[in-house]
Structure formats: C-alpha cells, structure tokens
Amino acid sequence: MDGQPEARHSVHEHQQLDNIMEELNEMDMSSGGWLTRFKTLHHVYDHHIEEEENEIFKKAKDAIGGDKTGTIADKFESRKKTELKLVEKKTEEALEE
C-alpha cells in the first residue's frame, strides 16, 4: 500500500506522455503548435524522470530491498542507454524528413 498513490501518479504521467506523443505524430512538425506541444512533452518527461529517479525508485528500494549485486541497477542503466539511443535515432530521422 505504501507507494500506491505515487504509482498511480506515475501511471497517469506515462499515459499523459503517450497522449502527447500521439498528438505530435498527428501534427505537422513545421507548425508552431507542434513545437509548443513538444516543449510540453519535454517538460512533462523531465518532471516524470526526476520524480521516478529521486522518489519512486527510493521507495521501491525500501520495499524490495537493496540491490546488493548491482543487477537491477545494471539492467536499468543498460535499458536507459538503449532508450536514449532510440530517441536520438528517431530525432535524427525526423530531422532528415
């Protein structure tokens, strides 16, 4: 139960990010509205990541225990790098179009 409100909030933010990305996919990138919406996405994303890394993950650690072997941290960092590379690739592809 401890952490459930935060988990619900996190799920809501994930949905909000998905919705904004769908809107962006349907908009013309050359429009001023697209850039405004993208800035909103960037703000919501940064806020979400900060909350997860500074609050949610700490509560999860308390609930499930420490990562004595570093396995969870290693997997997280690996996945994070993979996701960032995908973002960079998609950004480059979008700029080329």
Side-chain angles (χ1 to χ4, degrees), residues 23-35:
E23 288 176 32
L24 288 169
N25 282 331
E26 294 172 5
M27 295 174 75
D28 181 0
M29 283 182 71
S30 64
S31 73
W34 189 93
L35 185 57

Side-chain angles (χ1 to χ4, degrees), residues 1-11 55-56 59-60 63:
M1 294 299 285
D2 186 37
Q4 193 173 38
E6 292 89 349
R8 286 187 176 138
H9 176 73
S10 184
V11 168
E55 297 172 23
I56 304 296
K59 284 192 177 198

Side-chain angles (χ1 to χ4, degrees), residues 36-47:
T36 300
R37 202 64 183 136
F38 181 81
K39 287 178 181 178
T40 300
L41 173 70
H42 188 264
H43 173 76
V44 173
Y45 174 80
D46 283 345
H47 164 79

Side-chain angles (χ1 to χ4, degrees), residues 9 19 34 39 49 68 88 93:
H9 176 73
N19 291 342
W34 189 93
K39 287 178 181 178
I49 294 300
K68 292 180 175 73
E88 290 172 10
E93 289 172 357

Side-chain angles (χ1 to χ4, degrees), residues 36-89:
T36 300
R37 202 64 183 136
F38 181 81
K39 287 178 181 178
T40 300
L41 173 70
H42 188 264
H43 173 76
V44 173
Y45 174 80
D46 283 345
H47 164 79
H48 177 73
I49 294 300
E50 185 175 318
E51 274 186 346
E52 278 193 345
E53 292 184 355
N54 295 324
E55 297 172 23
I56 304 296
F57 293 166
K58 288 178 183 177
K59 284 192 177 198
K61 180 181 177 183
D62 292 342
I64 63 175
D67 183 22
K68 292 180 175 73
T69 64
T71 304
I72 296 170
D74 290 345
K75 286 181 181 179
F76 175 79
E77 288 301 322
S78 175
R79 177 68 186 265
K80 188 175 178 179
K81 286 178 186 174
T82 300
E83 295 295 328
L84 286 172
K85 285 179 185 175
L86 287 171
V87 168
E88 290 172 10
K89 180 181 177 193

